[in-house]
Protein backbone atom coordinates (compact mmCIF):
# COMPACT_ATOMS: atom_id res chain seq x y z
CA UNK A 1 0.00 0.00 0.00
CA UNK A 2 1.32 3.42 -0.99
CA UNK A 3 0.91 5.95 1.83
CA UNK A 4 0.32 9.49 0.53
CA UNK A 5 1.62 12.53 2.42
CA UNK A 6 -0.21 15.82 3.01
CA UNK A 7 1.37 19.16 2.12
CA UNK A 8 2.09 19.72 5.81
CA UNK A 9 3.78 16.34 6.12
CA UNK A 10 5.88 17.07 3.03
CA UNK A 11 7.10 20.27 4.75
CA UNK A 12 8.27 18.18 7.72
CA UNK A 13 9.98 15.71 5.38
CA UNK A 14 11.67 18.73 3.73
CA UNK A 15 13.15 19.69 7.12
CA UNK A 16 14.50 16.15 7.55
CA UNK A 17 15.85 16.24 4.00
CA UNK A 18 17.60 19.56 4.62
CA UNK A 19 19.41 18.22 7.66
CA UNK A 20 20.40 15.12 5.69
CA UNK A 21 21.71 17.25 2.81
CA UNK A 22 23.73 19.40 5.21
CA UNK A 23 25.06 16.22 6.80
CA UNK A 24 26.35 14.76 3.54
CA UNK A 25 28.10 18.07 2.80
CA UNK A 26 29.59 18.25 6.28
CA UNK A 27 31.02 14.76 6.00
CA UNK A 28 32.07 15.38 2.41
CA UNK A 29 34.30 18.24 3.53
CA UNK A 30 36.46 15.70 5.35
CA UNK A 31 36.96 13.36 2.41
CA UNK A 32 40.60 13.28 1.35
CA UNK A 33 43.40 10.74 1.00
CA UNK A 34 44.34 9.28 4.39
CA UNK A 35 40.98 9.49 6.18
CA UNK A 36 39.03 6.38 7.07
CA UNK A 37 35.37 5.72 6.40
CA UNK A 38 34.99 5.00 10.12
CA UNK A 39 36.08 8.55 10.87
CA UNK A 40 33.63 9.93 8.28
CA UNK A 41 30.83 7.87 9.80
CA UNK A 42 31.58 9.08 13.31
CA UNK A 43 31.58 12.79 12.47
CA UNK A 44 28.43 12.34 10.40
CA UNK A 45 26.61 10.52 13.17
CA UNK A 46 27.60 13.24 15.63
CA UNK A 47 26.37 15.97 13.26
CA UNK A 48 23.01 14.26 12.81
CA UNK A 49 22.50 13.82 16.56
CA UNK A 50 23.73 17.35 17.40
CA UNK A 51 20.96 18.61 15.12
CA UNK A 52 18.23 16.47 16.64
CA UNK A 53 18.17 13.72 14.04
CA UNK A 54 18.41 9.95 14.30
CA UNK A 55 20.54 7.93 11.86
CA UNK A 56 18.23 5.15 10.76
CA UNK A 57 20.71 2.80 9.06
CA UNK A 58 22.40 2.15 12.39
CA UNK A 59 20.77 -0.98 13.77
CA UNK A 60 18.61 -1.51 10.68
CA UNK A 61 18.53 -5.30 10.26
CA UNK A 62 21.82 -5.33 12.13
CA UNK A 63 23.62 -2.75 9.96
CA UNK A 64 26.35 -1.36 12.28
CA UNK A 65 26.71 2.30 11.30
CA UNK A 66 24.97 5.56 10.48
CA UNK A 67 26.29 5.68 6.91
CA UNK A 68 26.86 3.23 4.13
CA UNK A 69 30.34 4.05 2.81
CA UNK A 70 30.95 2.34 -0.51
CA UNK A 71 34.41 2.59 -2.06
CA UNK A 72 35.26 1.93 -5.75
CA UNK A 73 33.79 -1.46 -6.74
CA UNK A 74 31.45 -1.43 -3.73
CA UNK A 75 28.08 -0.48 -5.19
CA UNK A 76 26.13 0.01 -1.96
CA UNK A 77 25.95 -1.02 1.72
CA UNK A 78 29.67 -0.70 2.41
CA UNK A 79 30.42 -0.79 6.15
CA UNK A 80 32.72 1.94 7.49
CA UNK A 81 36.15 0.54 8.37
CA UNK A 82 39.74 1.52 9.23
CA UNK A 83 41.16 1.47 5.70
CA UNK A 84 42.62 4.76 4.50
CA UNK A 85 40.97 6.36 1.50
CA UNK A 86 43.51 7.00 -1.22
CA UNK A 87 43.92 9.36 -4.13
CA UNK A 88 41.79 8.21 -7.05
CA UNK A 89 39.15 6.38 -5.01
CA UNK A 90 35.49 7.19 -5.21
CA UNK A 91 33.33 6.84 -2.12
CA UNK A 92 29.57 6.94 -1.82
CA UNK A 93 28.01 8.25 1.36
CA UNK A 94 24.46 6.94 1.70
CA UNK A 95 22.40 7.92 4.71
CA UNK A 96 18.84 7.84 6.00
CA UNK A 97 17.70 10.03 8.88
CA UNK A 98 14.63 10.60 10.98
CA UNK A 99 13.96 14.15 12.11
CA UNK A 100 10.86 14.60 14.28
CA UNK A 101 9.38 11.40 12.88
CA UNK A 102 9.99 12.24 9.22
CA UNK A 103 12.41 10.21 7.12
CA UNK A 104 14.65 11.22 4.23
CA UNK A 105 17.23 9.29 2.21
CA UNK A 106 20.08 10.56 0.03
CA UNK A 107 23.39 9.39 -1.40
CA UNK A 108 26.30 11.04 -3.20
CA UNK A 109 29.43 9.59 -4.77
CA UNK A 110 32.47 11.72 -3.93
CA UNK A 111 35.93 11.63 -5.44
CA UNK A 112 39.03 11.32 -3.28
CA UNK A 113 41.63 13.76 -4.58
CA UNK A 114 41.98 13.42 -8.34
CA UNK A 115 40.27 10.52 -10.10
CA UNK A 116 40.77 9.35 -13.65
CA UNK A 117 38.51 10.57 -16.42
CA UNK A 118 36.66 7.28 -16.79
CA UNK A 119 35.48 7.47 -13.17
CA UNK A 120 34.58 11.15 -13.52
CA UNK A 121 32.41 10.25 -16.48
CA UNK A 122 30.71 7.41 -14.59
CA UNK A 123 29.81 9.79 -11.76
CA UNK A 124 28.57 12.44 -14.20
CA UNK A 125 26.34 10.03 -16.10
CA UNK A 126 24.96 8.47 -12.91
CA UNK A 127 24.05 11.89 -11.54
CA UNK A 128 22.47 12.85 -14.86
CA UNK A 129 20.45 9.61 -14.75
CA UNK A 130 19.16 10.57 -11.30
CA UNK A 131 17.95 13.98 -12.49
CA UNK A 132 16.44 12.59 -15.69
CA UNK A 133 14.55 10.11 -13.49
CA UNK A 134 13.44 12.86 -11.13
CA UNK A 135 11.98 14.77 -14.11
CA UNK A 136 9.53 11.90 -14.55
CA UNK A 137 8.21 12.21 -10.98
CA UNK A 138 4.91 13.77 -11.98
CA UNK A 139 1.34 12.80 -11.15
CA UNK A 140 -0.10 10.73 -13.99
CA UNK A 141 3.22 9.13 -14.92
CA UNK A 142 4.08 5.60 -13.85
CA UNK A 143 7.05 4.20 -11.95
CA UNK A 144 8.20 2.51 -15.17
CA UNK A 145 8.64 5.96 -16.73
CA UNK A 146 11.30 6.76 -14.12
CA UNK A 147 12.90 3.34 -14.50
CA UNK A 148 13.08 3.46 -18.27
CA UNK A 149 14.75 6.86 -18.60
CA UNK A 150 17.36 5.95 -15.98
CA UNK A 151 18.18 2.65 -17.69
CA UNK A 152 18.29 4.28 -21.14
CA UNK A 153 20.61 7.07 -20.10
CA UNK A 154 23.05 4.70 -18.41
CA UNK A 155 23.06 2.09 -21.14
CA UNK A 156 23.43 4.54 -23.99
CA UNK A 157 26.56 5.77 -22.23
CA UNK A 158 27.94 2.23 -22.05
CA UNK A 159 27.13 1.50 -18.41
CA UNK A 160 24.83 -1.00 -16.72
CA UNK A 161 22.29 -0.68 -13.91
CA UNK A 162 22.01 -3.02 -10.96
CA UNK A 163 18.86 -5.14 -11.01
CA UNK A 164 18.71 -6.46 -7.44
CA UNK A 165 18.35 -3.11 -5.66
CA UNK A 166 15.98 -0.22 -6.27
CA UNK A 167 14.54 3.05 -5.07
CA UNK A 168 11.49 3.10 -2.83
CA UNK A 169 8.80 5.09 -1.11
CA UNK A 170 10.04 7.04 1.93
CA UNK A 171 8.89 9.71 4.38
CA UNK A 172 7.42 7.89 7.36
CA UNK A 173 9.73 4.86 7.20
CA UNK A 174 13.01 4.05 5.45
CA UNK A 175 11.41 1.70 2.96
CA UNK A 176 7.83 2.17 1.84
CA UNK A 177 5.93 1.17 -1.28
CA UNK A 178 6.38 1.45 -4.20
CA UNK A 179 9.67 -0.04 -5.34
CA UNK A 180 11.36 2.18 -7.93
CA UNK A 181 13.65 0.03 -10.10
CA UNK A 182 16.40 1.53 -12.23
CA UNK A 183 15.35 -0.53 -15.25
CA UNK A 184 11.95 -0.98 -16.81
CA UNK A 185 9.39 0.00 -19.39
CA UNK A 186 7.51 3.27 -19.83
CA UNK A 187 3.80 3.05 -19.07
CA UNK A 188 4.13 0.14 -16.64
CA UNK A 189 4.14 -0.05 -12.86
CA UNK A 190 2.29 1.91 -10.18
CA UNK A 191 0.69 5.24 -11.09
CA UNK A 192 2.40 8.28 -9.56
CA UNK A 193 0.05 10.46 -7.52
CA UNK A 194 0.25 13.81 -5.79
CA UNK A 195 1.43 13.24 -2.21
CA UNK A 196 3.75 10.34 -2.99
CA UNK A 197 7.30 10.71 -1.66
CA UNK A 198 9.95 8.44 -3.14
CA UNK A 199 13.70 7.90 -3.13
CA UNK A 200 15.13 7.68 -6.65
CA UNK A 201 18.59 6.09 -6.63
CA UNK A 202 20.40 4.86 -9.72
CA UNK A 203 23.15 2.36 -8.87
CA UNK A 204 25.34 2.24 -11.95
CA UNK A 205 28.26 0.01 -12.91
CA UNK A 206 31.08 0.90 -15.27
CA UNK A 207 31.20 -2.75 -16.36
CA UNK A 208 28.62 -5.51 -16.07
CA UNK A 209 25.50 -5.27 -13.93
CA UNK A 210 26.26 -8.35 -11.86
CA UNK A 211 26.86 -7.95 -8.15
CA UNK A 212 27.79 -10.16 -5.24
CA UNK A 213 27.15 -9.64 -1.55
CA UNK A 214 30.00 -10.31 0.85
CA UNK A 215 29.85 -13.65 2.67
CA UNK A 216 32.00 -12.12 5.36
CA UNK A 217 29.61 -9.38 6.50
CA UNK A 218 26.36 -10.06 4.62
CA UNK A 219 26.12 -6.41 3.49
CA UNK A 220 28.94 -5.17 1.26
CA UNK A 221 27.64 -5.26 -2.31
CA UNK A 222 30.39 -5.31 -4.95
CA UNK A 223 30.49 -5.48 -8.73
CA UNK A 224 31.38 -9.02 -9.79
CA UNK A 225 33.89 -7.76 -12.34
CA UNK A 226 35.62 -5.48 -9.82
CA UNK A 227 34.97 -2.35 -11.88
CA UNK A 228 33.82 0.88 -10.21
CA UNK A 229 30.19 1.76 -9.46
CA UNK A 230 28.39 4.98 -8.56
CA UNK A 231 25.21 5.85 -6.67
CA UNK A 232 23.32 9.13 -6.33
CA UNK A 233 20.01 9.41 -4.51
CA UNK A 234 17.40 12.07 -3.81
CA UNK A 235 14.13 12.10 -1.88
CA UNK A 236 11.40 13.67 -4.05
CA UNK A 237 7.75 14.57 -3.50
CA UNK A 238 5.20 14.37 -6.30
CA UNK A 239 3.16 17.58 -6.13
CA UNK A 240 0.60 19.52 -8.16
CA UNK A 241 3.58 21.51 -9.47
CA UNK A 242 5.58 18.43 -10.53
CA UNK A 243 8.66 16.98 -8.86
CA UNK A 244 9.68 18.70 -5.62
CA UNK A 245 13.19 17.45 -4.82
CA UNK A 246 13.45 17.58 -1.03
CA UNK A 247 17.11 16.67 -0.58
CA UNK A 248 19.70 18.81 -2.35
CA UNK A 249 23.32 18.55 -3.45
CA UNK A 250 23.71 22.35 -3.22
CA UNK A 251 25.47 22.17 0.16
CA UNK A 252 28.00 19.76 -1.34
CA UNK A 253 28.51 21.45 -4.69
CA UNK A 254 28.14 25.20 -4.08
CA UNK A 255 31.11 26.98 -2.59
CA UNK A 256 29.04 29.82 -1.16
CA UNK A 257 26.41 27.72 0.54
CA UNK A 258 26.43 29.34 3.98
CA UNK A 259 23.18 31.15 3.28
CA UNK A 260 21.19 28.21 1.89
N1 LIG B 1 20.00 4.16 2.12
C1 LIG B 1 19.77 2.85 1.62
C2 LIG B 1 18.57 2.85 0.76
O1 LIG B 1 18.51 3.59 -0.13
C3 LIG B 1 19.60 1.79 2.63
C4 LIG B 1 20.54 1.64 3.64
S1 LIG B 1 20.60 0.00 4.06
C5 LIG B 1 20.94 0.02 5.70
O2 LIG B 1 17.63 2.16 0.94
F1 LIG B 1 20.84 -1.12 6.14
F2 LIG B 1 22.10 0.55 5.87
F3 LIG B 1 20.06 0.75 6.30
CO1 LIG C 1 17.25 4.58 -0.62
Amino acid sequence: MIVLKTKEEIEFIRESAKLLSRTLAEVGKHIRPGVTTRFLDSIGEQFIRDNGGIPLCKGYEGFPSAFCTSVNDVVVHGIPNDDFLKEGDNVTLDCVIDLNGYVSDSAYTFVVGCVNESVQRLLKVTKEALFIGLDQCKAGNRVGDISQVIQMHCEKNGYSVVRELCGHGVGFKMHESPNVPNFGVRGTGPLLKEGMVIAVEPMVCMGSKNIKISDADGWTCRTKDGKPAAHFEHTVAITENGPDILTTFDFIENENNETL
Side-chain angles (χ1 to χ4, degrees):
M1 188 194 51
I2 298 175
V3 181
L4 301 179
K5 281 78 180 176
T6 65
K7 286 181 180 169
E8 292 73 24
E9 287 163 341
I10 289 170
E11 291 315 306
F12 284 111
I13 301 168
R14 193 189 309 281
E15 287 304 306
S16 170
K18 185 171 184 190
L19 173 57
L20 176 58
S21 303
R22 288 174 56 219
T23 301
L24 292 182
E26 182 62 30
V27 179
K29 279 197 259 178
H30 294 86
I31 294 178
R32 64 178 71 95
V35 306
T36 69
T37 48
R38 197 186 303 283
F39 171 72
L40 297 174
D41 179 68
S42 72
I43 55 171
E45 177 170 359
Q46 194 61 48
F47 188 84
I48 294 164
R49 295 193 192 280
D50 286 348
N51 287 282
I54 304 165
L56 288 189
C57 291
K58 193 166 188 169
Y60 179 83
E61 293 182 8
F63 192 79
S65 55
F67 290 75
C68 299
T69 56
S70 302
V71 180
N72 297 342
D73 62 321
V74 179
V75 186
V76 288
H77 301 166
I79 297 175
N81 63 27
D82 296 317
D83 297 343
F84 299 116
L85 292 174
K86 57 184 193 309
E87 185 93 20
D89 286 345
N90 68 77
V91 56
T92 304
L93 300 179
D94 182 3
C95 190
V96 186
I97 68 162
D98 176 318
L99 181 67
N100 303 319
Y102 297 89
V103 178
S104 55
D105 187 357
S106 185
Y108 193 94
T109 303
F110 294 80
V111 297
V112 183
C114 291
V115 303
N116 70 42
E117 273 177 32
S118 67
V119 171
Q120 283 178 32
R121 183 172 168 273
L122 173 69
L123 305 194
K124 175 173 173 279
V125 169
T126 305
K127 201 203 295 182
E128 286 167 359
L130 168 60
F131 284 100
I132 293 168
L134 290 167
D135 274 345
Q136 296 295 318
C137 295
K138 296 176 197 155
N141 278 2
R142 290 186 180 272
V143 167
D145 301 354
I146 305 169
S147 306
Q148 168 155 328
V149 294
I150 290 174
Q151 181 180 15
M152 285 270 300
H153 187 69
C154 296
E155 291 182 353
K156 85 171 186 231
N157 281 284
Y159 302 137
S160 64
V161 293
V162 171
R163 301 298 197 267
E164 291 85 345
L165 299 150
C166 49
H168 48 89
V170 68
F172 297 151
K173 295 190 300 181
M174 183 184 327
H175 292 138
E176 301 180 24
S177 277
N179 277 339
V180 182
N182 295 305
F183 64 100
V185 177
R186 174 163 291 283
T188 66
L191 191 61
L192 300 177
K193 294 190 180 138
E194 205 178 306
M196 284 173 61
V197 178
I198 60 177
V200 178
E201 50 178 318
M203 289 157 264
V204 180
C205 307
M206 190 181 285
S208 89
K209 64 183 185 305
N210 300 317
I211 56 159
K212 56 180 191 300
I213 294 174
S214 160
D215 289 330
D217 62 36
W219 283 102
T220 308
C221 170
R222 287 194 171 77
T223 59
K224 258 194 185 159
D225 61 12
K227 293 189 179 169
H231 176 207
F232 289 85
E233 176 173 20
H234 269 322
T235 295
V236 59
I238 288 141
T239 75
E240 59 192 349
N241 302 315
D244 186 355
I245 306 170
L246 302 178
T247 44
T248 175
F249 298 147
D250 287 353
F251 297 111
I252 296 171
E253 296 179 347
N254 291 358
E255 301 231 333
N256 299 310
N257 61 23
E258 303 300 325
T259 55
L260 286 173

